[in-house]
Amino acid sequence: MSEESKTRYRIGYALAPKKVKSFIQPSLLNLAKERGIDLFPIQTTKPLIDQLPFDCIIHKSPDPEWRNQLEQLLLQKPNIVVIDRPEAIERLHNRVTMLQAVNQLEIANGFSIGVPKQVSVENPQSLIGCVASSGLRFPVIAKPLLANGTACSHQMSLVFNEEGLRGLNWSQPFVLQEFVNHGGVIFKVYVAGQHIQCVKRKSLPDISEVKLGVSENSVSFSQISNVTAQDQSDDGVEKLIEAAELPPSSFVTEVASQLREALKLNLFNFDMIRDSSVEGRHLVIDINYFPGYAKMPCYETILTDFFLDIVHNKPSVISKDC
């Protein structure tokens, strides 16, 4: 029996019920257990300090009381390993601050990384004219400023002209992000510490100048597939994805690693597109904390390897502020 399997480690998880159902699968529990990791649910309504000890705590819970408990625990036990720190996660709840770190990255392998042009609209009454004044070009994607995982935060619209902006009727602050043609394919990059995996998914189809002139004013969508289905058959989309070439792994790893350091986060994914108009240019359009890892191939192995990195105190894991 290996030394790894002799020692057992306790990892507590505080997750919303929906996340528990998707993430805490028997396949993950069993593999983790085989490799010496026991995953325990944390009762967020009970005192956290009474549920210790844990070798590590992972969490994603919308309950404000949970955050209060966690912050109190970190004050009392500053060396406890918490993946990830609440203040670092908070940055991803705003669609402006979440992308600021991307502009800090320094990639030197022949490719470039950036973000699309976007503008924040705090007051919907000042909406008209903001596209032209900010240097954006239609079409644009309207997204709620708040990105907290609620149904409202996923309500978006593809807007083709100013008439479409007038028809939004949104009361909450939002961002307008310039739409960039990218071949109808998005790259979802999953990060779990130093473990990185990139997968291809369908995205919004390219929009030509001709189509821009004849399209309706705006299209609302809560899922990319709803819009994609209007333009392409399922067979056409699958062939498009299959033909798309993944970005070089060295480039993906460099972007993910630098982004992890800049965000001070271990568990996240980011959506990246390849700009069809500029060779080698890639854009990050969204970053999500603790995403749906179960959608990632072999997620059980990757997450278990990450848990072992944590409990073995490997320097590749960000466990506290630098």
Side-chain angles (χ1 to χ4, degrees), residues 21-311:
K21 185 176 181 180
S22 65
F23 181 72
I24 306 296
Q25 298 284 334
S27 55
L28 175 63
L29 293 172
N30 292 337
L31 180 61
K33 186 174 183 179
E34 288 174 9
R35 300 184 64 186
I37 299 288
D38 296 315
L39 295 169
F40 290 92
I42 294 174
Q43 303 298 320
T44 57
T45 57
K46 296 181 180 179
L48 176 56
I49 199 163
D50 293 344
Q51 301 178 64
L52 301 179
F54 294 115
D55 294 289
C56 171
I57 293 173
I58 61 174
H59 66 104
K60 185 179 183 180
S61 173
D63 185 357
E65 180 55 34
W66 162 252
R67 174 164 180 169
N68 290 337
Q69 283 210 58
L70 191 58
E71 289 176 341
Q72 287 300 313
L73 179 68
L74 288 168
L75 288 174
Q76 298 174 46
K77 298 180 178 294
N79 292 322
I80 193 167
V81 179
V82 173
I83 307 295
D84 282 291
R85 296 288 169 128
E87 61 273 16
I89 298 171
E90 188 69 26
R91 185 177 189 174
L92 299 190
H93 291 168
N94 180 299
R95 284 196 165 93
V96 172
T97 59
M98 75 160 59
L99 296 180
Q100 288 174 343
V102 179
N103 292 321
Q104 302 172 19
L105 309 187
E106 297 181 359
I107 308 298
N109 61 1
F111 295 88
S112 65
I113 191 72
V115 300
K117 292 180 182 178
Q118 67 177 30
V119 60
S120 175
V121 182
E122 294 289 341
N123 179 7
Q125 301 303 317
S126 63
L127 179 61
I128 304 303
C130 70
V131 171
S133 63
S134 60
L136 270 68
R137 297 178 59 190
F138 286 107
V140 296
I141 299 178
K143 306 179 180 183
L145 180 65
L146 191 63
N148 59 358
T150 63
C152 291
S153 69
H154 292 295
Q155 292 178 350
M156 305 181 193
S157 288
L158 181 61
V159 183
F160 295 96
N161 49 45
E162 287 206 355
E163 193 62 35
L165 289 179
R166 292 187 182 95
L168 284 180
N169 293 322
W170 286 8
S171 58
Q172 76 272 34
F174 56 94
V175 297
L176 297 176
Q177 186 180 85
E178 189 170 276
F179 177 81
V180 176
N181 283 337
H182 53 280
V185 177
I186 194 168
F187 304 107
K188 300 188 85 68
V189 182
Y190 292 88
V191 181
Q194 65 177 341
H195 306 279
I196 299 159
Q197 187 168 121
C198 179
V199 298
K200 298 181 286 186
R201 294 287 185 266
K202 63 182 175 181
S203 181
L204 297 174
D206 287 351
I207 300 171
S208 66
E209 290 293 332
V210 173
K211 183 178 177 182
L212 182 60
V214 299
S215 296
E216 55 187 299
N217 296 327
S218 66
V219 178
S220 296
F221 61 99
S222 57
Q223 294 181 334
I224 284 176
S225 57
N226 293 343
V227 177
T228 306
Q230 297 175 15
D231 272 52
Q232 297 170 300
S233 66
D234 289 342
D235 287 343
V237 170
E238 291 305 320
K239 289 179 181 178
L240 187 70
I241 296 173
E242 186 177 344
E245 184 179 351
L246 284 169
S249 59
S250 59
F251 169 67
V252 172
T253 298
E254 186 66 20
V255 172
S257 299
Q258 288 194 30
L259 199 53
R260 183 170 63 93
E261 293 290 338
L263 294 171
K264 295 184 171 60
L265 292 172
N266 291 282
L267 294 176
F268 65 96
N269 78 347
F270 58 94
D271 294 342
M272 184 171 67
I273 59 175
R274 181 186 290 127
D275 189 341
S276 298
S277 64
V278 182
E279 182 71 25
R281 183 173 185 240
H282 295 74
L283 302 169
V284 175
I285 60 174
D286 201 15
I287 307 175
N288 302 287
Y289 183 67
F290 211 133
Y293 284 107
K295 299 175 184 177
M296 179 178 64
C298 303
Y299 94 100
E300 302 93 341
T301 300
I302 292 173
L303 268 297
T304 300
D305 287 343
F306 170 66
F307 295 152
L308 289 169
D309 288 348
I310 295 172
V311 298

